[in-house]
Amino acid sequence: MRILVQEAPFDVGAEAKAFSEGLSASGAAVTFTGIVRDNAEGNLVEMLIEHYPGMTEKALTKIATEATERWDLEDVLVIHRYGSMKPSDMIMMVATASRHRVAAFEAAEFLMDFLKSRAPFWKQEITKDSASWVASKEEDEDALKRW
Amino acid sequence: MRILVQEAPFDVGAEAKAFSEGLSASGAAVTFTGIVRDNAEGNLVEMLIEHYPGMTEKALTKIATEATERWDLEDVLVIHRYGSMKPSDMIMMVATASRHRVAAFEAAEFLMDFLKSRAPFWKQEITKDSASWVASKEEDEDALKRW
Amino acid sequence: MKVVYFAWVRERIGLPKEEVETSAATVADLVAELRTKEERYEVAFSDLSALRVALDQELSDFEASLEGVKEVAFFPPMTGG
Amino acid sequence: MKVVYFAWVRERIGLPKEEVETSAATVADLVAELRTKEERYEVAFSDLSALRVALDQELSDFEASLEGVKEVAFFPPMTGG
């Protein structure tokens, strides 16, 4: 298991390659990458992500550990950035590996659902003349109920 | 949409990177990588994959096209190898990108479910003293029913 | 008509493809004809539930008409991914 | 006790953290005390359903006891991923 909370960009290709090449007993690897998307008005200048140093690492470790307890996973990777990002920048990624595809998919979705609403990150959208905190979505809270 | 059927190995890192960097309107990218796993006896020497040239490309294109009709996807990638592979080699990958994570995950699972049982590939496991065709699994056929 | 075989169907019949002269109306009729040819066809086609068929590279079924079809393929259930 | 604030809670209160002298038994008691301090606290804590709380960096709730707790954090619902 590898949990990284960092301000610096990460290389999604290098991470995906290292993750899949490090496996010895898995037939399936799933990755999810979160990307800064422009806002509805198409004028996003910057995405700022605030986090809670200390708690962030604990929360991500807890979520990843729970995934390894629920599914038979050979490895789990979680990378999440904080600080300033531009549209099309990579915000975060998770990767899961298991013998079978269903476990790898389910564990990745579980990680994403919990990471969305249970890891202490807050997104702020900056345009030329406004800064607004992204509101949490009811559907994200609802997504936790299936697990 | 990009569909590749090839004997040569592919670089999962380079493909994942190119796929995610080519996006402009997606907040979510999902990849699935299929890896040659050792058999239960731990003596797999080689995995041979036979396919139906011509039909393979058509079947994969049909499955990927159906995915883009069912979900709002910015891009879809399918790579599937044939020929001789060793344990830990990458057999195939799919990638999907969408505005939201649920669509990207669902589309990737849909692609995998149909690719397993509807694309003309046949796996043969070679050990030191046997060659056996991998049997299809009832659960793989059942997996299609949810879509 | 071109008939092609894959995986253990190919192995049992002993060849990857052949030209078949036939006036069979359906896939099932063609299978019935092939089964009478030789023992190895009888063995390959003994359990149709273990076989799949494609017509001109599209998945089909044993009841389908062969009218206008140029290529028939027989193979076991697919195991890709 | 160390009290920390994030996102718009931090902005409304105007500082990221502070030391608070309190004998509050629960998080709800602490919130009641803070609300009487100044208008900006009253504004920040006006709708508790829009707030989340962590005790010593573990998610908790407003009914939880503060016994032994060293760090209380208030923030809006999280929006990671």
Side-chain angles (χ1 to χ4, degrees), chain A residues 59-80:
Chain A
L60 294 178
T61 303
K62 187 179 170 186
I63 294 165
T65 301
E66 192 172 336
T68 62
E69 285 162 3
R70 293 177 66 139
W71 289 276
D72 179 19
L73 303 177
E74 182 180 350
D75 199 8
V76 176
L77 167 69
V78 179
I79 306 175
H80 205 303

Side-chain angles (χ1 to χ4, degrees), chain D residues 1-20:
Chain D
M1 180 177 288
K2 186 178 176 188
V3 183
V4 296
Y5 309 109
F6 292 98
W8 57 253
V9 182
R10 173 180 53 69
E11 291 180 336
R12 287 188 196 172
I13 290 175
L15 42 88
K17 62 183 169 191
E18 60 185 321
E19 279 298 324
V20 174

Side-chain angles (χ1 to χ4, degrees), chain B residues 50-55 58 62 80 92 115-124 133-134 136, chain C residues 4-8 10-11 52 54 56-59 71-73 75-81:
Chain B
E50 182 169 334
H51 79 124
Y52 185 171
M55 179 172 165
K58 282 184 204 171
K62 187 178 169 186
H80 205 302
M92 50 77 59
L115 197 150
K116 278 263 166 194
S117 321
R118 291 291 181 270
F121 292 101
W122 300 274
K123 292 198 184 100
Q124 193 176 34
W133 293 99
V134 172
S136 64
Chain C
V4 295
Y5 309 109
F6 292 98
W8 58 251
R10 172 180 53 70
E11 291 178 338
R52 300 290 179 269
D56 290 333
Q57 306 191 347
E58 289 268 357
L59 275 177
E71 183 173 305
V72 179
F75 43 77
M78 294 155 274
T79 54

Side-chain angles (χ1 to χ4, degrees), chain A residues 6-138:
Chain A
Q6 62 185 48
E7 189 161 10
F10 61 91
D11 182 331
V12 64
E15 296 292 345
K17 188 179 173 74
F19 184 81
S20 58
E21 290 183 349
L23 303 170
S24 63
S26 294
V30 169
T31 72
F32 177 94
T33 309
I35 306 160
V36 179
R37 203 159 41 86
D38 205 347
N39 60 11
E41 294 72 32
N43 64 353
L44 185 73
V45 173
E46 184 183 4
M47 168 86 83
L48 272 177
I49 299 185
E50 183 170 331
H51 80 125
Y52 186 171
M55 178 172 167
T56 309
E57 291 78 359
K58 282 184 206 173
L60 294 178
T61 303
K62 187 179 170 186
I63 294 165
T65 301
E66 192 172 336
T68 62
E69 285 162 3
R70 293 177 66 139
W71 289 276
D72 179 19
L73 303 177
E74 182 180 350
D75 199 8
V76 176
L77 167 69
V78 179
I79 306 175
H80 205 303
R81 296 178 62 196
Y82 56 87
S84 170
M85 279 155 252
K86 304 270 180 247
S88 293
D89 281 359
M90 310 294 161
I91 302 171
M92 49 76 59
M93 79 178 279
V94 304
T96 56
S98 183
R99 295 173 62 80
H100 299 294
R101 74 185 186 285
V102 174
F105 270 124
E106 285 187 355
E109 289 176 74
F110 171 92
L111 288 172
M112 286 308 303
D113 283 350
F114 276 83
L115 197 149
K116 278 263 167 193
S117 321
R118 292 292 181 271
F121 291 102
W122 299 274
K123 292 196 184 102
Q124 191 175 34
E125 292 184 347
I126 316 285
T127 67
K128 195 163 66 69
D129 32 44
S130 75
S132 55
W133 293 99
V134 172
S136 64
K137 291 189 201 128
E138 212 171 308

